[in-house]
Amino acid sequence: MDRITLDYTNALASTIGPDHGVQESELAGMQGVLSEAQEKVESRRTLDLRWLDLPYQSDVHQEILRYAEEVQGRFENVVVLGIGGSALGNRALHSALNSPFHEMSPPSGAPRLFILDNVDPDLVGEFLDTIDPTKCLFNVISKSGSTAETMSQFLIFRRALIERLGEEGHREHVVVTTDAEAGVLRPIVDAEGYRSFIVPEGVGGRFSVLSPVGLLSSALVGIDILGLLKGAADMDERCRSAQWNENPAMVYAATQWQMQECKGKNIAVTFAYGHRLRDLADWYAQLLGESIGKVKAGPDGPMHVGPTPVRAVGVTDQHSQVQLYVEGPFDKWFTLLEIGQHDHRVQIPADFSDKDALAYLGGRTLSELLAAEREGTRIALTEANRPNVSIQFPRVTAHTVGQYMYMMEYAVALMGELYGIDAFDQPGVEAGKVAAYALMGRKGFEQRAAEIQRQREKESRTV
Ligand code: PA5
């Protein structure tokens, strides 16, 4: 049975001592607040938290699969134009579930996938210099339908297509994923006649990976989206358990809260032990950071809350970060993502067996080495009293990745209640967007532009 599991033994005081570990009784003591949090989240399931029900939208899933079948073989490349919640999940799914060399050698019939989540001219310009847009299907993804980065890319690639294929011909190279009504993209879809998918109401950007936002590009590159959704649905069932220690999302949310609020661990490191899991850690960094990093009213004025998410990759970062993690400040806690069984078996040749420094490797597999390195890090962290939990993927499959993503979304929703903040807005992101609109001269943002100009005229110090 490929159920993912959460092992929190090494976060407990009984393992790493009471200064840095949490007492199991403290976690159990949170049963009441966790149940309350769960009730609040569940009461919004059919209202503004409809992402909870994304695993069950079978009409939408079928529509996506039909479209993927319809366009199969027609495009060499699928290009996602999106950013933040409209890109990170797509990348996480692709790197977890497809070959790391997919772009060099896609399986027959499958397109390559490029995710352009930056407006760096050296990225977009190089893409234009390298890839023929007439061989691409551009999936423009924007929930709000107005994000400057995504819209500017849309304008650039639309023009490139029109120049080569004409007004009519360019249309089949664009598929849009956006809100049913909001923003400027939807009226453009209607006017241009682009194929489109809907980001449903009640599904915010960073909670949208299981909607057409993440599913469409995944289906196009051959990911088993039904397996992914089944994994999410199976985890949904586990997350609805009322008993804290039978519910992985409750255990994870409670541990996060205890670590920060009671043990002073302001940094949450996701240490992905496996190349394929690295972008899941990146996806989670956004989910946690944007959802929980908030200001709220406190008794003595504003209170700024939220853990700082950090992503590390094993074994790579053992040779870069682990020194800090084992001996540096006690301000972090760790989530190790681990893989039970890899798809490949790579054996190390037993050459130079007369040399002790190499002989022990001969005949062993890379999975054994990776596991030993991971265990080594876990032991080092634990012996240094650094709290760590492990999420084990029996294998990396669509089903286990679906479980992981749903579990983390649910856990973050619970954390929102525990921290007493709104986990589903992002005023800090909006503030940056508004300032950028003002600087770029968008109509309606003149006053903000004037404020920024006044600010800029103040004295500055530069060396
Ligand atoms: O989680 C979020 O809401 C954000 O990260 C958005 O996904 C990001 O800002 C992109 O927004 P949009 O999809 O509206 O273009």
Side-chain angles (χ1 to χ4, degrees):
M1 175 61 180
D2 67 345
R3 251 162 89 105
I4 67 168
T5 52
L6 168 63
D7 182 339
Y8 57 102
T9 315
N10 295 340
L12 294 175
S14 51
T15 310
I16 57 167
D19 288 348
H20 303 291
V22 57
Q23 305 284 353
E24 193 148 24
S25 57
E26 289 167 332
L27 290 174
M30 290 182 71
Q31 174 70 72
V33 283
L34 286 167
S35 297
E36 228 174 86
Q38 187 190 42
E39 271 163 36
K40 283 199 184 135
V41 169
E42 286 298 331
S43 70
R44 294 166 67 183
R45 185 180 273 266
T46 52
L47 303 170
D48 60 335
L49 302 189
R50 297 207 198 160
W51 54 267
L52 287 161
D53 271 344
L54 288 174
Y56 313 108
Q57 315 296 314
S58 51
D59 290 356
V60 177
H61 308 153
Q62 289 311 321
E63 192 191 340
I64 289 171
L65 288 171
R66 272 198 303 276
Y67 176 76
E69 202 179 306
E70 186 187 317
V71 299
Q72 204 196 11
R74 284 203 357 227
F75 302 99
E76 273 182 21
N77 311 299
V78 169
V79 187
V80 166
L81 307 180
I83 195 163
S86 295
L88 288 164
N90 306 61
R91 180 176 292 124
L93 289 171
H94 186 48
S95 58
L97 299 170
N98 280 332
S99 159
F101 306 108
H102 180 97
E103 275 56 60
M104 285 172 70
S105 171
S108 92
R112 294 181 287 224
L113 177 63
F114 298 99
I115 298 171
L116 298 189
D117 58 348
N118 203 328
V119 288
D120 183 334
D122 290 335
L123 173 73
V124 178
E126 197 64 37
F127 188 89
L128 283 164
D129 289 349
T130 312
I131 308 271
D132 178 355
T134 65
K135 300 202 163 123
C136 298
L137 174 65
F138 292 91
N139 182 198
V140 188
I141 311 178
S142 178
K143 155 100 178 142
S144 63
S146 60
T147 301
E149 295 90 335
T150 306
M151 298 314 290
S152 59
Q153 288 183 340
F154 163 63
L155 295 173
I156 290 165
F157 287 109
R158 176 177 175 274
R159 178 54 49 200
L161 285 170
I162 291 175
E163 277 166 8
R164 289 160 180 83
L165 300 168
E167 283 285 347
E168 190 53 42
H170 94 281
R171 294 197 173 100
E172 64 167 321
H173 290 260
V174 177
V175 55
V176 175
T177 308
T178 191
D179 192 87
E181 286 169 13
V184 75
L185 255 182
R186 183 54 63 187
I188 290 176
V189 166
D190 295 341
E192 296 278 325
Y194 294 138
R195 286 292 290 267
S196 73
F197 289 84
I198 290 175
V199 188
E201 239 185 284
V203 179
R206 56 194 173 275
F207 291 85
S208 67
V209 62
L210 300 173
S211 79
V213 169
L215 295 179
L216 182 60
S217 68
S218 298
L220 290 166
V221 293
I223 288 171
D224 170 17
I225 63 165
L226 297 183
L228 180 81
L229 293 156
K230 172 78 171 74
D234 289 348
M235 181 53 76
D236 182 22
E237 203 181 314
R238 293 173 72 189
C239 291
R240 289 202 227 191
S241 165
Q243 177 60 33
W244 77 275
N245 54 3
E246 287 171 11
N247 181 329
M250 276 190 178
V251 173
Y252 196 78
T255 308
Q256 167 58 60
W257 189 86
Q258 285 282 343
M259 283 298 151
Q260 185 167 31
E261 297 299 304
C262 308
K263 303 290 167 192
K265 318 287 179 215
N266 288 327
I267 300 172
V269 180
T270 302
F271 210 146
Y273 260 87
H275 189 76
R276 297 172 67 183
L277 303 183
R278 70 195 185 284
D279 291 321
L280 283 177
D282 222 15
W283 168 82
Y284 179 64
Q286 187 215 12
L287 183 68
L288 181 67
E290 266 189 25
S291 301
I292 308 299
K294 298 282 159 69
V295 57
K296 66 176 184 178
D300 308 315
M303 284 173 67
H304 302 273
V305 303
T308 299
V310 167
R311 156 194 113 128
V313 179
V315 298
T316 314
D317 287 320
Q318 277 180 221
H319 299 267
S320 131
Q321 302 296 313
V322 165
Q323 172 58 35
L324 169 73
Y325 294 166
V326 173
E327 290 198 338
F330 281 88
D331 54 359
K332 306 170 196 67
W333 77 287
F334 302 87
T335 300
L336 275 64
L337 304 184
E338 60 178 74
I339 302 169
Q341 196 186 333
H342 293 265
D343 289 355
H344 292 81
R345 185 176 190 280
V346 181
Q347 193 160 11
I348 306 169
D351 294 342
F352 302 108
S353 53
D354 56 331
K355 300 201 184 321
D356 289 351
L358 298 183
Y360 72 100
L361 295 171
R364 310 297 294 272
T365 65
L366 289 185
S367 302
E368 287 177 295
L369 180 59
L370 181 71
E373 302 264 2
R374 186 187 66 226
E375 287 311 300
T377 300
R378 197 200 322 272
I379 290 165
L381 288 170
T382 307
E383 287 182 353
N385 299 333
R386 311 294 165 143
N388 61 89
V389 302
S390 297
I391 298 178
Q392 197 193 46
F393 293 65
R395 293 178 71 118
V396 182
T397 62
H399 188 245
T400 55
V401 170
Q403 292 174 60
Y404 171 78
M405 288 180 135
Y406 199 91
M407 170 186 155
M408 300 316 268
E409 289 182 342
Y410 206 107
V412 167
L414 295 177
M415 284 175 209
E417 298 299 327
L418 301 182
Y419 279 85
I421 50 89
D422 180 353
F424 305 103
D425 65 358
Q426 54 284 323
V429 180
E430 305 304 333
K433 283 188 179 182
V434 167
Y437 292 150
L439 290 168
M440 290 294 284
R442 182 171 166 180
K443 199 165 171 235
F445 294 82
E446 296 80 2
Q447 194 185 330
R448 185 74 187 110
E451 285 164 13
I452 293 171
Q453 186 52 32
R454 278 197 296 280
Q455 195 63 29
R456 285 178 153 188
E457 281 159 9
K458 286 189 185 157
E459 262 188 289
S460 67
R461 300 274 184 284
T462 313
V463 290

